[in-house]
Amino acid sequence: MSAPSSSFPVMPEQRLPGLLPVSMIFLVAAWLAAQSLDQPWASWLFHQQGDAWSMKGSLLLETVLHRGGRLVSQLAWAAVLAATLWHWRMPAAKRWTRPAARLLLAVLLSTACVAVLKATTHMDCPWDLAGFGGQRPLVPLFVHRPAELGTPGCFPAAHAASGYAWVASYFFFLHTAPRWRHVALAGGLLAGAVFGLAQQLRGAHFLSHDIASLGVCWTIACGVDRIGAWRNARRSMEART
């Protein structure tokens, strides 16, 4: 006699804890690989521009993708905030307002965390380094930095994070319109990759800087969603008691 099937199907939220460790393994591996590619890749970009970061002031890279891209991300966040606040007390909108609030929190925390790390790691941009048009020696992460070299802030990549932060939209759509979750994830990854490549072409970041930003953004997105799911489960238990 076959075992009775459970009356409670496994929801996507219950499978989420596995996303973080598996994803982080791939991200850490990618970051380690990127570290070995940083110098050759940046050198190739530098030489392709005539041994100078001639695209540093490019209209497309500097104005459209750098300044404009950051503005688009900020406007998107403000638009989601306005829509969430407007519909917050409407019963028919409860299905998406709480996931939207978690999305807003994840994007905000991701960009803030990257900004804090930039201010504390004190790593140089490629354009500051000897061999890439600058004068400073390369000081790796976790290595003591001499005080005379100053306190630059180029790691992780903040501009890439303004795109990668939107990988959190995967979880928003997971809870509201699951069939769109992978499209949303691809959109966040694409935005971060485009913003990151634009900065690499300008000499502002190494490849590993962008991957580190993605790691921060994905970790925070998973963490915020897990906390939200835990709180929802706790509310449900309290409502039944």
Side-chain angles (χ1 to χ4, degrees):
M1 184 175 180
S2 60
S5 60
S6 172
S7 58
F8 298 98
V10 177
M11 299 301 290
E13 295 92 328
Q14 295 174 275
R15 298 194 295 267
L16 287 180
L19 280 177
L20 180 58
V22 173
S23 300
M24 289 311 299
I25 290 173
F26 283 109
L27 284 172
V28 170
W31 184 72
L32 292 173
Q35 282 193 300
S36 63
L37 291 173
D38 275 348
Q39 297 285 324
W41 174 242
S43 294
W44 186 82
L45 294 177
F46 186 67
H47 294 321
Q48 290 300 308
Q49 298 178 51
D51 289 337
W53 299 111
S54 57
M55 301 179 72
K56 184 177 182 179
S58 162
L59 175 64
L60 174 62
L61 300 183
E62 166 63 12
T63 305
V64 177
L65 292 178
H66 186 212
R67 298 179 185 176
R70 180 183 296 133
L71 179 60
V72 168
S73 181
Q74 292 169 345
L75 290 176
W77 191 90
V80 175
L81 175 63
T84 303
L85 292 176
W86 182 263
H87 293 88
W88 188 257
R89 293 191 177 277
M90 298 181 183
K94 284 185 178 180
R95 186 176 66 87
W96 66 266
T97 51
R98 290 190 184 280
R102 294 198 293 270
L103 170 62
L104 290 166
L105 179 61
V107 172
L108 182 63
L109 288 178
S110 294
T111 53
C113 185
V114 168
V116 170
L117 288 172
K118 280 172 61 70
T120 55
T121 54
H122 302 313
M123 292 193 69
D124 292 294
C125 304
W127 59 38
D128 295 321
L129 299 175
F132 295 103
Q135 302 296 324
R136 297 173 184 166
L138 174 65
V139 180
L141 187 64
F142 306 125
V143 174
H144 173 70
R145 183 180 182 85
E148 60 270 19
L149 294 180
T151 56
C154 291
F155 177 88
H159 190 52
S162 66
Y164 284 135
W166 291 96
V167 296
S169 59
Y170 170 89
F171 296 103
F172 171 78
F173 284 100
L174 177 69
H175 301 300
T176 59
R179 65 175 180 171
W180 293 105
R181 66 191 188 280
H182 293 120
V183 174
L185 177 62
L189 292 172
L190 179 61
V194 170
F195 292 168
L197 180 59
Q199 289 295 82
Q200 291 175 47
L201 286 167
R202 297 180 63 240
H205 288 292
F206 286 115
L207 175 61
S208 62
H209 297 189
D210 294 344
I211 295 177
S213 292
L214 173 57
V216 170
C217 294
W218 182 246
T219 301
I220 290 175
C222 288
V224 168
D225 187 80
R226 279 289 82 208
I227 293 172
W230 174 78
R231 292 189 64 184
N232 288 340
R234 184 176 179 181
R235 283 196 212 97
S236 298
M237 291 180 62
E238 291 174 349
R240 289 195 293 266
T241 58

